[in-house]
Structure formats: structure tokens, C-alpha cells
Amino acid sequence: MTTAADIRTRGEADSPYTLSHLDALEAEAVHIMREVAGEFERPVVLFSGGKDSIVMLHLALKAFWPAPVPFALLHVDTGHNFPEVLAYRDAAVARHGLRLHVASVQEFIDSGRLRERPDGLRNPLQTVPLLDGIESNRFDAVFGGGRRDEEKARAKERVFSLRDEFGAWDPRRQRPELWSLYNGRHAVGEHVRVFPLSNWTELDVWQYIEREGIELPEIYYAHEREVFQRDGMWLTAGAWGGPRDDEPVQLRQVRYRTVGDMSCTGAVDSDATTVADVVAEVAASRLTERGATRADDKVSEAAMEDRKREGYF
């Protein structure tokens, strides 16, 4: 027998006024971006050419269309980035007429302000160039593509994350965010990190990419690549220091779930050559992309937490 509750539930699901899951996430992210545009003077979007920053840029384009995006882009370039990702970054900047600021880890190493790590990882060296880029350009709000499902340190972040004059995160200074009300108040020298994708999952991101027809760098899809194995991950050979003599290079069909630089980002064996294939693959996975393929998160149990306190994430 059909009850009144069944009819009421069915009516709500079929209502044209009910947002789908992806529509609700999109509306939240657009709301956050417009709040930042209204509250801050010099916001910037961290843009690496990875899938999360690409989705953020797509959302910004939708949020302010037909006006241009009112934010500049900032990329912290480690010097060991994938060529395909850098090419995508530059093409996106040219296509949309955006302003790009590049903070170079290599320049800081060459000037003696940073020193190479013994393990060759450069992602942990991004903090100083990032904070220098924020300070020198007087950015007061910095959009990041962090999601709460990625890692335990990211799970407890606010959407508006206050950072002190040294870029550091103090849990005692974070504000409650009830009813989608965001407090962007900050003192001179401080800034706010903003995470519009906080409530998205990796699967949400890929389903949104599929729905919106968003173009990505080809390394996100299965392709043949010469790789070698280290610490359980397939890494790409490069000038950063791999492979060693005991690490034979193999030609494998792989793809990347997340993109840092070549020294720390592992590929996964995959047959997923289309967005639909990737959606199915991600839906079946039981490991987050960072847990499975990022060496910089394995430096210690609290690697991401330490970097957050230092001012990177």
C-alpha cells in the first residue's frame, strides 16, 4: 500500500526545485567564491593544472560569467612538474585571459634560500615560495583545492581557514561555520585559505568532470609510460634522481589519480581511458588518491599536519 509518506517522498525527489547532489556541491562552491569576492581585496587561486584546481577554475568561470574571473592564479612550481601538466596550465591561462603568478622552488634553491632534500622530494619545499608569493603580492585570500576526504589533516579544516602572519594554522583561532556563514576577518599580515571543494569526494570531482565535459591533462587517463617501482609506487624517471641502479625501468599502462611533481607522485596500473572508465574505477577503490600515490605524505605519520602548521597546506 502506498502511504502519504511515500507520496511525499516521491514528490520531493521528482520536484524541479530539488537540487541533485552535484548541483548542491556546485552551488555551495559558487556561493563560497562569491563570498570571497565580496569580502576580500586580493584573492588568488592556487592552480597547479591538477584535477581539483581545474575544477575550481571551472567553478570560478561559472560563478562570475559573463564577467571575467576576478582572481589571479598562483602556481608553486617545484621544477620537477610533469610537462603535460605545465602545458595544460599555460593553455588554460591563455584561453581564459587569466593572470598567472609563478613561485619557483628552483629559484629559491639557486639563491640559497632553500636546500635540496637528500631524498630528492621537492613538494615539501613549496612552503617558503608559497608564503613569499602570498606576502609579496599581498594576497589576503588563497583558494586551495583541498578536500576533507583526502587525508586526516584536511578532514578537520574549515572552509575559511585563518592563517597568521607566518602562514601557520592554529586550531584555537578557527571560527565556527554555521548556516554557511563564513567569517573572513583577519589582521594585517594574516590571510585566509579558502577550500570550496571541502565537502566533495574524489568520486564527486570525477562525476562533475564527466557531467561538465571538463578537459584534463592526458596523464589522468591510461597511457603507456616508462616507470620504475619505489616504496610500492610506480614513479616516472627524471632529472630529480630516479631510478637507482636496483630499480629497473618498465613500460606499463598507467594513469595518475593525483598530480604533484615527478619526485613524489606515483602512477597506478589502469585500463581507464575515458572519464566514464575513471568514474567506475574510483567508485570501486578503497584507497584515497593521496594515500595510494603520494610519497610526500609518507615522510611521517603527521607529514600533512606538519606542513599545515608550517604554512603550506
Side-chain angles (χ1 to χ4, degrees):
M1 176 186 290
T2 301
T3 66
D6 293 332
I7 296 172
R8 194 160 52 245
T9 302
R10 189 184 307 154
E12 289 171 356
D14 296 339
S15 170
Y17 303 106
T18 302
L19 292 179
S20 70
H21 177 61
L22 291 181
D23 284 335
L25 290 172
E26 179 188 71
E28 179 186 52
V30 165
H31 166 67
I32 290 166
M33 290 184 164
R34 289 172 176 168
E35 282 289 304
V36 170
E39 288 190 46
F40 295 88
E41 293 183 7
R42 293 180 64 83
V44 69
V45 177
L46 291 177
F47 188 79
S48 64
K51 68 180 187 307
D52 296 317
S53 61
I54 290 170
V55 166
M56 264 202 313
L57 176 57
H58 181 83
L59 289 163
L61 290 165
K62 293 188 78 170
F64 301 100
W65 179 263
V69 176
F71 315 131
L73 305 183
L74 173 62
H75 181 209
V76 184
D77 185 351
T78 67
H80 292 158
N81 295 93
F82 291 92
E84 302 95 326
V85 177
L86 292 180
Y88 182 98
R89 179 201 70 183
D90 294 340
V93 168
R95 182 165 62 249
H96 300 298
L98 302 168
R99 291 167 293 140
L100 174 67
H101 301 267
V102 177
S104 170
V105 172
Q106 186 65 56
E107 288 182 7
F108 275 73
I109 292 173
D110 293 343
S111 66
R113 289 176 287 177
L114 282 176
R115 184 178 300 173
E116 289 274 22
R117 292 168 52 96
D119 57 12
L121 295 181
R122 282 197 174 179
N123 263 32
L125 301 181
Q126 290 178 301
T127 301
V128 174
L130 170 62
L131 295 179
D132 181 79
I134 292 171
E135 181 181 6
S136 61
N137 291 286
R138 297 181 292 109
F139 295 132
D140 53 0
V142 181
F143 285 102
R147 308 187 321 267
R148 289 179 176 136
D149 76 315
E150 291 181 275
E151 203 271 342
K152 57 190 176 184
R154 297 190 172 195
K156 58 189 177 185
E157 269 286 14
R158 300 286 195 269
V159 174
F160 275 31
S161 178
L162 180 66
R163 303 303 171 98
D164 65 20
E165 63 272 26
F166 303 106
W169 178 82
D170 183 347
R172 295 168 296 183
R173 299 191 62 203
Q174 305 308 310
R175 291 89 177 247
E177 294 178 340
L178 306 176
W179 307 293
S180 298
L181 297 175
Y182 304 108
N183 184 352
R185 181 173 51 83
H186 60 284
V188 175
E190 297 178 339
H191 69 276
V192 175
R193 304 283 173 89
V194 183
F195 303 105
L197 304 184
S198 287
N199 294 323
W200 298 52
T201 66
E202 183 186 9
L203 183 58
D204 293 330
V205 169
W206 276 104
Q207 288 176 332
Y208 188 75
I209 289 168
E210 182 179 36
R211 189 186 81 172
E212 299 289 302
I214 299 173
E215 181 185 350
L216 295 180
E218 57 268 27
I219 65 173
Y220 277 107
Y221 304 104
H223 60 285
E224 287 195 337
R225 179 178 288 261
E226 290 188 343
V227 293
F228 64 94
Q229 193 168 55
R230 180 181 294 175
D231 298 329
M233 296 188 300
W234 294 113
L235 299 178
T236 297
W240 58 270
R244 297 189 288 257
D245 292 339
D246 60 344
E247 295 172 334
V249 174
Q250 304 180 34
L251 182 64
R252 300 182 70 90
Q253 181 164 290
V254 298
R255 76 173 191 88
Y256 288 86
R257 290 178 64 183
T258 182
V259 174
D261 70 11
M262 289 186 287
S263 68
C264 70
T265 307
V268 295
D269 291 306
S270 176
D271 297 320
T273 57
T274 67
V275 182
D277 293 340
V278 174
V279 168
E281 187 177 276
V282 171
S285 175
R286 291 298 175 266
L287 282 176
T288 69
E289 69 263 47
R290 294 195 71 93
T293 64
R294 290 297 288 270
D296 52 334
D297 290 350
K298 300 179 181 181
V299 172
S300 72
E301 283 292 324
M304 182 62 73
E305 193 74 41
D306 292 340
R307 295 174 75 193
K308 185 164 71 171
R309 281 199 300 266
E310 292 167 0
Y312 174 63
F313 166 61

